[in-house]
């Protein structure tokens, strides 16, 4: 916009691997950086209060990210499939993080101050990733699993109750399904 307080979109395919957001920006639109494959580093405005839904989804080369103390909330799938993102530090100001904010960031290590909501999120996130990695190893050995949100794991076939009742033959390649229990349910904080 004209007063440079709102970032609407950074075009996918733009030239350059870094982006320094002007300090005048106080609001970023959903999907603002979606699919910026060449983006490796982003420094946000020190006046930004929220990282909205899908804002950095599919930025597959994003490696470094600096979150200022002004940020209070990180929305759903904000960093989905940022597969190169390996480390992020969440300041104490971040008190609201959607459970899917970092979906697909399997190598991500999150740092946060102990006793904060960001620390609790980081602890649960790390536990979920460890569980997923263990289950992926089982998938490779022939088991079909569901992910932590009870969906069918990508690239696998879900076995229904009806399938289980069918008699097996020697040539039957059906696999049994193991369901991973919900570990983090945002509607049940206990």
């Amino acid at each position: 916009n004209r007063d440079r307080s709102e970032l609407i979109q950074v075009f996918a395919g733009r030239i350059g691997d870094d982006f320094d957001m002007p300090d005048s920006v106080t609001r970023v639109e959903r999907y603002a950086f979606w699919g910026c494959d060449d983006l490796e580093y982003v420094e946000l405005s020190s006046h930004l209060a929220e990282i909205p839904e899908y804002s950095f989804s599919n930025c597959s080369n994003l490696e470094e990210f600096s979150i200022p103390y002004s940020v209070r909330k990180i929305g759903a799938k904000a960093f989905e499939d940022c597969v190169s993102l390996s480390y992020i530090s969440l300041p104490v100001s971040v008190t609201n993080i959607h459970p899917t904010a970092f979906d697909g960031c399997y190598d991500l290590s999150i740092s946060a101050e102990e006793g904060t909501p960001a620390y609790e999120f980081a602890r649960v996130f790390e536990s979920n990733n460890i569980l997923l990695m263990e289950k992926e190893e089982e998938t490779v050995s022939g088991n079909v699993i569901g992910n932590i949100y009870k969906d069918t794991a990508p690239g696998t076939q879900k076995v229904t109750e009806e399938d289980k009742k069918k008699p097996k033959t020697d040539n039957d390649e059906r696999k049994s399904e193991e369901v991973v229990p919900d570990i983090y349910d945002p509607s049940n904080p206990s």
Side-chain angles (χ1 to χ4, degrees), residues 81-100:
D81 294 329
C82 291
V83 295
S84 297
L85 191 59
S86 60
Y87 176 80
I88 197 163
S89 179
L90 299 176
V92 296
S93 61
V94 179
T95 57
N96 185 335
I97 306 167
H98 195 278
T100 64

Side-chain angles (χ1 to χ4, degrees), residues 3 27 50 52 56 65 70 74 81 100 118 137 153 155 167 180 188 190:
D3 66 356
R27 184 170 183 266
E50 176 182 354
F56 292 93
F65 202 88
S70 60
I74 301 175
D81 294 329
T100 64
E137 288 174 10
V180 179
N188 184 8
S190 59

Side-chain angles (χ1 to χ4, degrees), residues 47-177:
H47 299 293
L48 191 66
E50 176 182 354
I51 300 172
E53 296 86 1
Y54 303 95
S55 49
F56 292 93
S57 288
N58 297 304
C59 291
S60 58
N61 288 310
L62 186 62
E63 297 172 356
E64 296 181 50
F65 202 88
S66 176
I67 296 181
Y69 282 93
S70 60
V71 173
R72 307 277 182 256
K73 178 181 178 183
I74 301 175
K77 299 186 182 279
F79 295 93
E80 177 187 37
D81 294 329
C82 291
V83 295
S84 297
L85 191 59
S86 60
Y87 176 80
I88 197 163
S89 179
L90 299 176
V92 296
S93 61
V94 179
T95 57
N96 185 335
I97 306 167
H98 195 278
T100 64
F102 297 96
D103 275 5
C105 300
Y106 301 116
D107 294 327
L108 179 62
S109 174
I110 299 174
S111 173
E113 189 174 317
E114 193 170 348
T116 64
Y119 178 82
E120 185 60 28
F121 174 85
R123 195 175 63 75
V124 170
F125 179 82
E126 184 177 313
S127 296
N128 288 348
N129 273 353
I130 289 170
L131 185 58
L132 279 175
M133 284 188 279
E134 290 171 357
K135 295 304 177 184
E136 283 176 359
E137 288 174 10
E138 289 179 20
T139 299
V140 170
S141 68
N143 291 327
V144 179
I145 65 166
N147 70 21
I148 60 173
Y149 302 105
K150 296 183 182 176
D151 295 329
T152 302
T156 63
Q157 179 180 351
K158 187 169 185 173
V159 178
T160 66
E161 288 301 317
E162 186 177 295
D163 289 335
K164 291 177 184 177
K165 293 177 186 175
K166 293 178 183 174
K168 288 187 177 185
T169 66
D170 290 340
N171 296 329
D172 194 354
E173 294 185 45
R174 286 189 326 224
K175 297 175 175 85
S176 63
E177 177 180 16

Side-chain angles (χ1 to χ4, degrees), residues 19-34:
F19 185 86
D20 290 325
M21 187 178 293
D23 251 0
S24 60
V25 176
T26 58
R27 184 170 183 266
V28 172
E29 284 290 323
R30 293 169 47 173
Y31 299 98
F33 291 85
W34 189 90

Side-chain angles (χ1 to χ4, degrees), residues 1-6 8 24:
N1 64 355
R2 288 191 177 177
D3 66 356
R4 302 181 121 205
S5 64
E6 185 175 352
I8 297 170
S24 60

